[in-house]
Amino acid sequence: MRAGELLGRTAYDLRGRRLGRVVDVVVRGGWPPQRLRITDVIVAGHWWTRVSGRLIGPELHPSGPWLLRALARVLGRSTRQVSADTVQLRPPVPGFPFGPPAGRDR
């Protein structure tokens, strides 16, 4: 499974409520012996959040201009990290969230 197959898909929780669009993925694991696994997805609730992202946020640039940090914080309020096993994607991706089905390996 590739990250590009997940990005832009609409994410729903297990009850069917819309969370937003997938804008990034979080992977964990070692190389070798473990394979990388998608553990979480970053979901944005609004289109402007995808544009601004968190690139100008206080986490990455703590000494940046206060106005840009405040703007990023306001625009990024709807961004959240959600565990991959609590998310349903539409249209569905085969093998999400635990990799390809048995017998298929990319």
Side-chain angles (χ1 to χ4, degrees):
M1 174 182 323
R2 297 173 189 231
E5 297 174 10
L6 304 175
L7 299 179
R9 306 261 178 162
T10 306
Y12 294 86
D13 66 3
L14 297 179
R15 294 182 182 166
R17 291 184 298 215
R18 185 180 189 279
L19 298 173
R21 297 226 179 235
V22 177
V23 294
D24 206 354
V25 295
V26 177
V27 295
R28 291 194 176 94
W31 184 266
Q34 299 174 355
R35 296 182 61 180
L36 295 175
R37 253 178 80 132
I38 296 174
T39 58
D40 299 330
V41 292
I42 308 296
V43 178
H46 302 288
W47 67 269
W48 60 79
T49 306
R50 291 185 291 162
V51 173
S52 68
R54 296 245 178 203
L55 296 177
I56 56 174
E59 297 83 8
L60 296 178
H61 301 286
S63 61
W66 69 269
L67 185 57
L68 287 180
R69 290 194 321 249
L71 181 63
R73 216 174 3 259
V74 168
L75 292 177
R77 283 185 301 193
S78 67
T79 302
R80 60 184 156 214
Q81 184 171 337
V82 183
S83 178
D85 57 352
T86 62
V87 172
Q88 298 174 359
L89 299 180
R90 294 194 190 139
V93 176
F96 177 79
F98 300 112
R104 283 187 65 212
D105 195 13
R106 286 188 174 182

